[in-house]
Amino acid sequence: MNNLRGKGVIIAAVILCPLYLGYRFYGGQLEAAALQESTLERAIPSVSITQAHPAEASDTITLPGNIQAWYEAQIYAQVSGYVKMWHKDYGALVKKGDVLADINAPALDAQYKQAKADLETEHAKNVLADLTAKRYVALRPNQAVSEQAISVQVQEAKAQEARVRAAEQNVRNFEALIRFKSIVAPFDGVVTARNINVGNYVNKEASPGEGNSGGIRDLFTVADVTKMRLFVSVPESFGPFLQPGLTADVTVPQLPNRHFTAQFLTVAKGFDVSTRTAITVFTIENEDRALWPGSYATVRITAPVEKSILTIPSSAMVFQEHGTQVAVVTEGDQVHFKPIVVARILDNTVEVTDGISASDRIVNNPSAALLEGNKVRIVTPAPGYDLVTREAPEAAVPKKPSSKSL
């Protein structure tokens, strides 16, 4: 009985051993195939893609500008003398006709008195000439004097009357000059310059800006700042858009957080041959007088344009010996490098005029290891991770113990 049981065990061992070995061999083949498949899959680089987008139908240019007052007048001396008193200082708000300063001109005052004395003399001579002429005319019926003598006296009276009128005009001329002893504001505005002080010699013949040695001529500068003029040199490419209705965004260094809107006023109908720019004038409302004449301005002009330009992220560009390119994923998920023509590089994007289309699948942040024809796997990037260099780690989920382990 024992012999039969031992033989059964041996027979079972002989039968099960090949089956077990075959099972183990088959299982090893399956594991090897799975490992190979996993290795090949991991060898395919992962890439994230982006697409080109049409550029905005507008173009913006930033230019320097100069802000000037709507009206600005330098007030010059019309009479020579000494400053008696100035009444308005830098920054003073003035109305039209306000007295800015008074000039003491003793020489002019003396000439004015002499002119009035000469007028009185001519008046006296005129009375005598008129009386003499009338007496000569009265003697005509008696023929006591010749007609020649009468004509001479009559014409002499008329000539003396003309001298009186000339003397009167001379007096009025001096009266006009006397009024220039008071320097007045030509319009409402603000005093932006005062070049005189009490006692300074003012010379109407001096050159503008001349010092005290030759006398001062330019006394004050008054500006109307309720509206400002903005002067900008605009390049040729924006020439067609310089038309009524165009606006510009303006900032100044003294008010960096405030934006002003400038309205197009006019443009010089010609370009400067040295800079290829045209002087363009805008207007800015300045009722609160926040802007000052002479300010430097940063001017941003946006104009509608028609252009067939696509934009891509600057991180999608590849720089190689063949020039600037982008890596495109074909329908078979293979890499193909396309040369592109870059129009302009902005902060985070690049404007491209040729080489790609809006339907191209462009690799973003392409690895330097990518080669032409490489097979790639397209993935969606996780926030905060660059899939080109590393995979986003998966969150560790604790496994629950199975009932078998219990």
Side-chain angles (χ1 to χ4, degrees):
M1 190 70 177
N2 291 332
N3 290 335
L4 293 176
R5 185 177 297 175
K7 290 180 180 179
V9 172
I10 294 173
I11 293 172
V14 171
I15 295 173
L16 293 176
C17 185
L19 291 177
Y20 175 75
L21 293 177
Y23 171 76
R24 292 292 297 172
F25 177 78
Y26 178 73
Q29 291 293 326
L30 292 179
E31 290 179 359
L35 179 61
Q36 182 181 10
E37 183 180 355
S38 176
T39 302
L40 292 176
E41 184 179 356
R42 290 181 177 275
I44 298 176
S46 300
V47 297
S48 61
I49 62 171
T50 184
Q51 289 185 310
H53 301 281
E56 295 182 1
S58 62
D59 201 1
T60 301
I61 189 171
T62 302
L63 299 169
N66 294 314
I67 296 177
Q68 299 296 335
W70 184 248
Y71 296 125
E72 187 173 74
Q74 288 182 318
I75 302 175
Y76 294 94
Q78 295 297 317
V79 296
S80 298
Y82 296 90
V83 178
K84 182 178 180 181
M85 180 59 68
W86 53 265
H87 306 288
K88 301 295 181 181
D89 205 352
Y90 289 95
L93 298 179
V94 295
K95 295 290 185 181
K96 181 179 180 180
D98 283 355
V99 178
L100 305 179
D102 290 317
I103 298 175
N104 186 15
L108 179 61
D109 294 338
Q111 291 174 338
Y112 178 50
K113 291 179 181 178
Q114 182 64 50
K116 291 194 292 184
D118 292 342
L119 176 60
E120 292 178 0
T121 300
E122 296 300 334
H123 271 301
K125 290 181 179 180
N126 183 51
V127 171
L128 178 59
D130 184 62
L131 179 60
T132 302
K134 288 180 180 179
R135 286 176 178 176
Y136 269 71
V137 171
L139 294 174
R140 178 178 289 164
N142 299 328
Q143 296 182 349
V145 292
S146 66
E147 284 293 328
Q148 176 65 24
I150 295 173
S151 298
V152 169
Q153 294 300 324
V154 171
Q155 295 304 318
E156 179 63 27
K158 292 181 179 179
Q160 187 58 43
E161 185 179 358
R163 294 188 190 98
V164 171
R165 291 195 296 270
E168 290 175 345
Q169 183 60 48
N170 191 40
V171 171
R172 287 194 291 269
N173 291 345
F174 278 104
E175 289 174 347
L177 289 175
I178 289 294
R179 286 194 291 271
F180 282 113
K181 291 169 58 178
S182 294
I183 309 302
V184 299
F187 45 76
D188 296 353
V190 61
V191 176
T192 59
R194 174 181 61 81
N195 301 320
I196 59 173
N197 213 334
V198 175
N200 285 150
Y201 176 60
V202 175
N203 185 1
K204 67 176 183 178
E205 304 296 338
S207 301
E210 191 171 336
N212 291 338
S213 59
I216 302 171
R217 188 184 178 195
D218 46 334
L219 313 181
F220 291 90
T221 299
V222 177
D224 179 4
V225 296
T226 55
K227 181 184 287 188
M228 310 297 283
R229 299 179 193 266
L230 172 65
F231 294 86
V232 187
S233 295
V234 180
E236 286 179 319
S237 58
F238 265 66
F241 313 113
L242 300 177
Q243 299 177 1
L246 180 66
T247 61
D249 179 72
V250 181
T251 57
V252 292
Q254 61 268 31
L255 299 170
N257 297 323
R258 182 172 176 181
H259 292 257
F260 299 86
T261 300
Q263 302 288 337
F264 174 84
L265 179 62
T266 186
V267 61
K269 300 297 183 179
F271 293 102
D272 187 333
V273 295
S274 60
T275 61
R276 303 301 177 186
T277 59
I279 298 296
T280 307
V281 185
F282 293 82
T283 61
I284 306 175
E285 295 296 332
N286 191 40
E287 291 295 337
D288 60 353
R289 298 183 177 87
L291 295 174
W292 295 355
S295 296
Y296 172 85
T298 300
V299 185
R300 295 175 182 83
I301 303 174
T302 301
V305 294
E306 294 182 2
K307 55 183 180 180
S308 55
I309 294 179
L310 298 175
T311 61
I312 61 173
S314 56
S315 57
M317 290 193 301
V318 177
F319 300 97
Q320 294 184 353
E321 65 273 11
H322 302 295
T324 307
Q325 298 177 326
V326 292
V328 178
V329 179
T330 64
E331 293 183 358
D333 291 342
Q334 291 181 321
V335 174
H336 173 58
F337 289 93
K338 283 188 174 183
I340 60 174
V341 178
V342 177
R344 186 170 55 168
I345 299 177
L346 304 177
D347 293 337
N348 298 316
T349 60
V350 178
E351 292 185 350
V352 180
T353 58
D354 192 20
I356 57 175
S357 64
S359 60
D360 284 339
R361 298 185 297 174
I362 301 171
V363 179
N364 193 17
N365 290 316
S367 170
L370 284 181
L371 300 176
E372 178 73 23
N374 280 165
K375 187 78 172 179
V376 293
R377 177 164 51 93
I378 298 174
V379 295
T380 301
Y385 291 95
D386 183 1
L387 295 182
V388 174
T389 57
R390 60 178 178 177
E391 293 283 343
E394 296 182 356
V397 179
K399 297 183 178 180
K400 294 182 180 180
S402 61
S403 57
K404 292 184 180 179
S405 61
L406 297 176

